[in-house]
Amino acid sequence: MNHTGIISHIEIYVSNLERTRLFWERLLVQDLGYKVYQEWRSGVSYILDKTYIVFVQSSKVDPKYDRTKTGLNHLAFMVTTNKQVDEIRSQLLAAKYTELYADRYPHAGGSDSYALYFEDPDRIKVEVVSDE
């Protein structure tokens, strides 16, 4: 199988690794099928197939992340069904994470899209979109 062009990994520096792990393990491991790949004192990574996502504790937490400035705006993950999006939404709301565009759920991305938008602890936008 040719893996040319597939993302190998994404590395994100975070302000609080413990809070970050609570959010991302809920989403990546519980809901999306990732596994913990590597762990060390100041970081953790999660893998699915050949792609992994790394979170590292930053020593430079100012200025705070702002997705509207130059740089990463959001990460989007696909699931198979609308029901999966709804279930993930329920779990994240129960855990008191911040939902974005709640008044337009599940069509904030347009009438042809069934998607959920949340913020992680550093306010990185996370999208979960259905392939249904």
Side-chain angles (χ1 to χ4, degrees), residues 2 6 9 26 37 49 51-53 55 72 77-78 87 92 104 108 112 115 123 128:
N2 182 353
I6 299 295
H9 66 278
R26 175 181 311 273
Y37 181 47
D49 193 26
T51 299
Y52 62 100
I53 302 173
F55 298 95
L72 177 72
F77 298 90
M78 185 154 309
E87 290 169 351
L92 292 175
R104 294 181 280 160
D112 293 337
R123 302 197 64 219
V128 179

Side-chain angles (χ1 to χ4, degrees), residues 47-66:
I47 192 165
L48 180 66
D49 193 26
K50 300 267 185 201
T51 299
Y52 62 100
I53 302 173
V54 183
F55 298 95
V56 178
Q57 175 65 54
S58 178
S59 61
K60 300 175 184 173
V61 296
D62 286 317
K64 295 201 179 296
Y65 170 78
D66 183 340

Side-chain angles (χ1 to χ4, degrees), residues 47-128:
I47 192 165
L48 180 66
D49 193 26
K50 300 267 185 201
T51 299
Y52 62 100
I53 302 173
V54 183
F55 298 95
V56 178
Q57 175 65 54
S58 178
S59 61
K60 300 175 184 173
V61 296
D62 286 317
K64 295 201 179 296
Y65 170 78
D66 183 340
R67 70 175 168 269
T68 65
K69 293 184 178 178
T70 301
L72 177 72
N73 177 267
H74 72 283
L75 296 173
F77 298 90
M78 185 154 309
V79 295
T80 307
T81 67
N82 294 350
K83 183 179 179 189
Q84 286 174 283
V85 175
D86 294 337
E87 290 169 351
I88 292 169
R89 181 181 192 234
S90 293
Q91 292 170 9
L92 292 175
L93 286 173
K96 306 275 192 248
Y97 288 108
T98 302
E99 182 178 8
L100 301 171
Y101 326 119
D103 59 322
R104 294 181 280 160
Y105 177 81
H107 302 293
S111 61
D112 293 337
S113 172
Y114 198 97
L116 166 68
Y117 300 86
F118 262 81
E119 287 182 334
D120 89 337
D122 282 312
R123 302 197 64 219
I124 294 172
K125 183 171 30 174
V126 180
E127 177 182 354
V128 179

